[in-house]
Amino acid sequence: FLPQKMASSDNRYDAAELPDLLPVYYRRLFPYSQYFRWLNYGGVPEKYFQNREFSFTLKDDIYVRYLSFNNQNELEKEMQKMVPYKIDIGAVYSNKPSQHNSVKSGSFHAESKELVFDIDMTDYDDVRTCCSSADICRKCWTLMTIAIKILDRALGEDFGFRHRLWVYSGRRGVHCWVCDKNARNLSQAARSAVAEYLSVVKGGTEAIKKVHLTNPIHPSIQQAITVIDSYFEDYAVNEQDIFGSKETWQKVLALIPDDKLREGLQIDFVEVRNSAERWKLLQRTLNTIHLEEIKLQYCYPRLDVNVSKGINHLLKSPFSVHPKTGRISVPIDVKNLETFDPFSVPTVSSLCTELDRKAKEEQENTHTENGEGPEVKRRIRDYKKTSLLVPVKIFEQFIEKMEQSQKGQLLEQSDRGGDF
C-alpha cells in the first residue's frame, strides 16, 4: 500500500509540532475537491451539502458543533482559518446546521446520513494477548482485516449496498461509510436492524460467553466463519498463542457450556505438549456449533452499534489527522486489504517532510531546465508529490464509481418517465 520504509524515521511524529504542521496540511495537502464531490452527491437533492453538519475539535479540546458550509470554497477557507485538530461529519439536516438556533423549535431535525460502522481494537481486549487499550501491532491488526472482509461481503451481498468506503481511523480502528442513496435514507429503526443483523458478539464486558449460535447456522454467519477459518490457525493459535499458557487456554475453555467436557479438557490440556496439539484436541472433542462459537468470539467483528443506529451520530472524517499519532485517516483499498499496514500510513510530519524534500529537488532542477519547466511543475497538486497520492487515488476511484452509478440511475428514471 505504501513503501515499507515509510514506517522508519520519516514517520516519527511529535504532537508538539502539530500547531505548525496542520496549517500546512490544510493549505497544501487536504483533498478539498474530491471531499466536496463525495459529500455533495452530484448536488442531488439540492442543498444536500449545505445542510450537512460538520464539527471541529480545535486546539485545547475546544469542540465546535453545527458548522455548515455553502460550497467547497467556504469549507476550504474555514478549515484553513480554524485549523481543526479533528473533523467529524454529522447528518444532513432539514435546515442549515449553522442556523439551528434561529429555526423554529422542533422543525430542525436530521434527515439523512450515510450508514456508518465503527470498529475499535479496544473492544477486542478480552481476546487479544499481544496488546491492550489504545495499542495495536501487526499481529492484532489481522482482526481489522477479518472485520472488513466479513462486513464488506455482508453489506454488499446480503443488503445490496454498492458504495462502501472503508477508512483507517488513524490509530486503532476502521470506519465504514455506506453511501448508497437507500442507505443514506434509512430510518433509525432500519439502521438498528442492519446493525443488529451484523452483531454476533454480544453481552458487554461482563459476559464470558458472548456468542450463542442456533442450529442450523445462519448463512451469513457461515460465510463469516469461512473468512475466519482462513486466518484462525495462523492468527489465534500461532500468533496470539491462545492455547500457549494455562491463563489463556482457561479463557477458551470457559466458553464451553458442557461442564463435564470442559473439566476433562482442562486435565488433558496440561498433559498435551504445545498450542497446536491442544487446538487439534479441541477440534476432535467439540461439536461444530461450540467450535464455531469459539472462533466467532475470538475473531468476528465487534461493532459499536450505537454509532450505526443514530442518524445524527457524528463520525470522524476521512483525511482527518489523528492528534495522538499524527496519522491521516486514509481510505483503505479493500481489493488489496492484506497489504494495508497501519504503521506505514503517512503522518502529517512525514508528508510535510516529503513536501520540503520535493521543493528542494525542484529548486535544484531549475537551473538545468529552461524557463518554462519550473512553472509547469508547480501546477502539480502538492498532495501528488507525497505519499498521500495513493490514498487520494483510492478515494477518487470510489467517488467516480459512485458518480457513474448516480448518472445511470438518473438515466433510468428519465427513461421510465417517458423521456424518449
Side-chain angles (χ1 to χ4, degrees), residues 410-420:
L410 289 170
L411 282 169
E412 267 180 46
Q413 281 166 9
S414 68
D415 284 353
R416 278 202 301 272
D419 298 343
F420 47 81

Side-chain angles (χ1 to χ4, degrees), residues 129-342:
T129 56
C130 52
C131 307
S132 65
S133 68
D135 294 333
I136 62 162
C137 69
R138 285 183 179 88
K139 279 184 190 176
C140 55
W141 188 258
T142 302
L143 288 166
M144 291 295 135
T145 305
I146 293 170
I148 295 172
K149 282 195 173 181
I150 289 173
L151 294 177
D152 196 63
R153 186 217 62 80
L155 290 165
E157 292 179 20
D158 300 356
F159 291 96
F161 296 134
R162 294 172 61 192
H163 307 294
R164 310 173 302 271
L165 178 68
W166 285 94
V167 183
Y168 170 50
S169 73
R171 192 179 195 183
R172 56 174 187 246
V174 292
H175 300 150
C176 179
W177 299 76
V178 184
C179 301
D180 302 55
K181 188 182 175 185
N182 55 351
R184 288 182 274 132
N185 291 336
L186 288 175
S187 66
Q188 189 142 328
R191 286 166 200 261
S192 299
V194 176
E196 214 47 58
Y197 173 91
L198 296 168
S199 296
V200 173
V201 181
K202 296 174 181 179
T205 48
E206 298 311 305
I208 294 171
K209 187 173 170 61
K210 296 183 166 99
V211 178
H212 299 272
L213 292 178
T214 53
N215 196 359
I217 295 169
H218 189 284
S220 186
I221 296 174
Q222 198 58 68
Q223 293 263 27
I225 292 165
T226 304
V227 173
I228 292 167
D229 279 343
S230 61
Y231 291 93
F232 195 79
E233 216 150 298
D234 273 348
Y235 162 72
V237 182
N238 300 335
E239 290 188 341
Q240 293 294 328
D241 201 14
I242 62 171
F243 301 108
S245 70
K246 192 170 182 181
E247 188 193 348
T248 56
W249 86 53
Q250 291 277 33
K251 279 186 174 182
V252 181
L253 297 182
L255 306 177
I256 301 166
D258 186 320
D259 295 345
K260 211 171 175 184
L261 206 57
R262 187 172 61 247
E263 285 159 17
L265 280 163
Q266 277 172 341
I267 296 161
D268 294 342
F269 266 30
V270 177
E271 291 164 9
V272 173
R273 281 189 321 227
N274 56 36
S275 262
E277 291 301 315
R278 288 183 194 111
W279 169 230
K280 280 178 191 160
L281 175 62
L282 198 69
Q283 287 174 294
R284 287 196 302 271
T285 313
L286 294 188
N287 68 33
T288 305
I289 294 283
H290 291 158
L291 205 56
E292 306 303 27
E293 284 175 341
I294 289 168
K295 289 182 203 165
L296 291 162
Q297 178 139 345
Y298 273 79
C299 296
Y300 189 86
R302 299 185 170 202
L303 299 174
D304 183 341
V305 286
N306 292 324
V307 172
S308 306
K309 286 177 178 181
I311 298 180
N312 54 0
H313 204 292
L314 293 139
L315 187 63
K316 186 182 190 180
S317 168
F319 296 100
S320 198
V321 178
H322 197 294
K324 295 268 192 324
T325 62
R327 291 191 199 117
I328 313 297
S329 290
V330 292
I332 296 169
D333 181 4
V334 179
K335 291 195 274 309
N336 294 303
L337 208 45
E338 305 293 340
T339 60
F340 180 81
D341 176 7

